[in-house]
Amino acid sequence: MSLQIIDDWYGDRALDYEAAWELQRELHAQRVTDEIGDTALLLEHPPVYTAGKRTEAHERPFDGTPVVDVDRGGKITFHGPGQLVGYPITRLPSHVLVVDYVRRVEEALIRAVADLGVATGRVPGRSGVWVAADHRGPERKIAAIGIRVTRGVTMHGFSLNADVDLAWYDRFVPCGIADAGVTTLTAELGRRVRVPEAADAVRPHLVDLLGWEPYASSPDLVHDDAHPQVPVLGLPGAAPS
């Protein structure tokens, strides 16, 4: 059975983070007992910062925006309007390791944004999806990943910046990475890319890559410095997203 996508929370219907987290927990429990099949939520959140297990006190913003402590790997990140958030609730097959799962989610996002006209890739040692350094600046992160796997089933997931206001990222160091930038599909393409358009691009690739068949990985971006950044709770070397 293929991955079921549920996406009913965009724009004015954006889902509060804690309500989405509770929904994740409910679906996770149902997936553990095989009451449901693999499922993914695609949505937007009202503005919120989420702090992973490695977030330090000085990294928290104090602008009045809610900060929610969560049970995923990584440090602090932002979710809000203009950003596509995805929460796959999937049982990992025995041949798919946790890092393999992270790479599959990255690959789905790389292929989706390529369909929209943005060339991206992985940076060795850092999770997420990146636009290569060019005349406009250093490497720019366009999608972040931070997950948790418990009882063999995934929670949390990814965020893809479609048309989010990048001023939110000026209030903290995104995912604890100070030597790189953040970008959006809108900024890279020079036209407005709304979240439902981004979701339409991501959906088929997420279904394909989480069908667990072998796949050809996109090439990494050229990057000389290695900074281990794999945001997986409980995985050796777990670090920011």
Side-chain angles (χ1 to χ4, degrees):
M1 183 180 297
S2 65
L3 181 73
Q4 179 185 4
I5 304 288
I6 306 174
D7 58 345
D8 192 31
W9 304 283
Y10 301 136
D12 293 341
R13 294 178 59 83
L15 188 60
D16 177 78
Y17 183 85
E18 298 208 52
W21 193 8
E22 178 60 30
L23 178 56
Q24 283 191 75
R25 288 192 288 261
E26 292 173 4
L27 294 174
H28 182 277
Q30 293 173 29
R31 185 67 190 96
V32 165
T33 57
D34 289 325
E35 295 175 55
I36 61 171
D38 290 344
T39 303
L41 309 177
L42 298 182
L43 50 86
E44 277 180 275
H45 287 307
V48 64
Y49 294 99
T50 65
K53 293 289 187 179
R54 297 185 68 252
T55 303
E56 299 180 39
H58 71 273
E59 295 172 322
R60 294 171 179 267
F62 295 97
D63 63 353
T65 304
V67 179
V68 180
D69 291 289
V70 295
D71 58 350
R72 60 162 171 79
K75 292 202 173 189
I76 194 160
T77 194
F78 171 77
H79 297 309
Q83 183 187 76
L84 173 66
V85 178
Y87 297 128
I89 312 296
T90 63
R91 182 183 299 281
L92 296 186
S94 59
H95 68 282
V96 176
L97 303 177
V98 175
V99 172
D100 298 334
Y101 167 70
V102 172
R103 299 296 173 250
R104 283 176 177 270
V105 174
E106 289 171 343
E107 187 66 30
L109 296 170
I110 289 168
R111 295 180 183 186
V113 299
D115 289 347
L116 293 169
V118 180
T120 61
R122 300 175 185 83
V123 172
R126 288 179 167 173
S127 74
V129 176
W130 299 77
V131 176
D134 57 20
H135 65 282
R136 293 184 294 167
E139 293 156 349
R140 302 179 294 282
K141 195 169 194 177
I142 198 167
I145 297 176
I147 72 163
R148 175 181 172 87
V149 180
T150 181
R151 301 182 70 183
V153 175
T154 65
M155 286 183 66
H156 302 292
F158 67 86
S159 59
L160 172 61
N161 290 341
D163 190 42
V164 65
D165 182 354
L166 292 177
W168 288 103
Y169 291 89
D170 295 335
R171 308 177 192 190
F172 72 114
V173 178
C175 302
I177 301 174
D179 61 340
V182 180
T183 191
T184 67
L185 291 168
T186 290
E188 297 300 321
L189 290 170
R191 67 173 181 84
R192 189 170 188 185
V193 180
R194 297 180 184 274
V195 170
E197 181 182 357
D200 286 345
V202 168
R203 187 181 294 107
H205 294 292
L206 197 63
V207 170
D208 181 33
L209 270 297
L210 298 189
W212 314 119
E213 295 297 324
Y215 71 99
S217 180
S218 299
D220 292 345
L221 300 181
V222 175
H223 182 75
D224 294 331
D225 298 323
H227 306 282
Q229 303 285 346
V230 180
V232 181
L233 188 65
L235 190 70
S241 60

